[in-house]
Amino acid sequence: IVVERRANGPYADLFDFCRRVDKRLVNRRAIEALVRAGSFDSIAPDRAALLASVGMAMGAAEQAERQAAQNSLFGDAEAVRVPPGAMAPVKPWDMRQTLLEEKLALGFYLSAHLFSVYAPALEGFPRTALAKLQPSDGRIWMAGIIAQARTQMTRRGKMLVVTLDDGSAQIEMTVFSELYDRHRDKLKEDALLVISGKVQRDDFSGGVRVSAEEVFDLAGLRERYATRLRIAVNGQADAKRLMEMLGPYRMNGGDGNGACGVTVHCETGGAVCDVALGDAWRVRPDERLIEALAAWLEPQNVRV
């Protein structure tokens, strides 16, 4: 029905789409799925605003149909059509939310792999790509998105079997009961997981078998291992604003657990310098601080 109605001309906007399709065949749930999957991107790229406007667009279409039935002079319903700029004013989705919405509609990520959202934040952390895992006697660091998780009962109690995916490969990993109980809030589908564990040969499958020994989300990893926050303020060297943003996250001398040094990178004209702030300006690498700095200076200028 969507393609058939489009034969009369391309859809101008979401409101035009809702006015022209048969709502008995293309209901609200179907329209919302089309928005989540990106079907309207060529008309309006802001999927968040589109999704928030579906109800308004369907209401306008129904009003147009009622008016057309009452008065043949307004049979084309143009008198009540909502202008394109009337979409709901909501915050646009970031890439993470866009990918999660795609998966909700399609069952998989379409625009990119969800791990790509977190990869820049893990650039400075030594880990092994899942496709390159090899059996080892020591611990190996790895990271990925939880694609699937299921519980099993063993003699040691409840065990979680997690399918981890970093875009290069998928592996199954076991999380035994004590570790599972401590970190069950992190062990959810579509969550980023950073693991230190043992990799052994799996003779049954011919691949590898992974057992987790330490489990972190991104915030926990930063709190445990971050040593420095690097901030590039090229062209936006507002010292007062920077102090105000860092202030709430200072560690009162810097000796507390999770304290992170701060380096400010500056480039002006032909001069380049890195300024390491003193211990009094060591901070907690809190996600709220990272997000606020990234919103001001662009994400690529903020690195932990």
Side-chain angles (χ1 to χ4, degrees), residues 198-256:
K198 290 185 177 179
V199 181
Q200 299 171 312
R201 186 176 303 282
D202 188 341
D203 294 328
F204 178 77
S205 67
V208 296
R209 182 174 66 252
V210 179
S211 299
E213 298 194 352
E214 285 188 282
V215 171
F216 297 93
D217 57 11
L218 185 58
L221 184 72
R222 285 170 170 167
E223 183 177 347
R224 177 78 171 271
Y225 291 107
T227 58
R228 187 154 297 277
L229 173 62
R230 183 181 185 276
I231 306 169
V233 293
N234 310 331
Q236 301 185 62
D238 187 335
K240 182 179 180 181
R241 183 174 181 180
L242 181 59
M243 291 170 63
E244 290 173 349
M245 296 179 76
L246 295 177
Y249 304 95
R250 291 173 64 181
M251 297 296 289
N252 298 322
D255 294 329

Side-chain angles (χ1 to χ4, degrees), residues 108-150:
F108 55 88
Y109 314 122
L110 182 63
S111 299
H113 193 287
L114 184 57
F115 187 74
S116 66
V117 174
Y118 299 100
L122 295 171
E123 281 181 357
F125 188 78
R127 61 180 178 85
T128 301
L130 299 184
K132 297 181 178 180
L133 287 180
Q134 296 293 331
S136 172
D137 293 332
R139 285 190 180 190
I140 296 177
W141 283 99
M142 64 204 84
I145 301 296
I146 298 178
Q148 189 178 21
R150 67 182 190 274

Side-chain angles (χ1 to χ4, degrees), residues 11 24 63 67 137 164 199 216-217 260 291 299 303:
Y11 297 112
R24 294 169 300 178
Q63 183 182 354
Q67 181 169 331
D137 293 332
L164 207 63
V199 181
F216 297 93
D217 57 11
C260 180
E291 290 179 354
R303 286 287 179 265

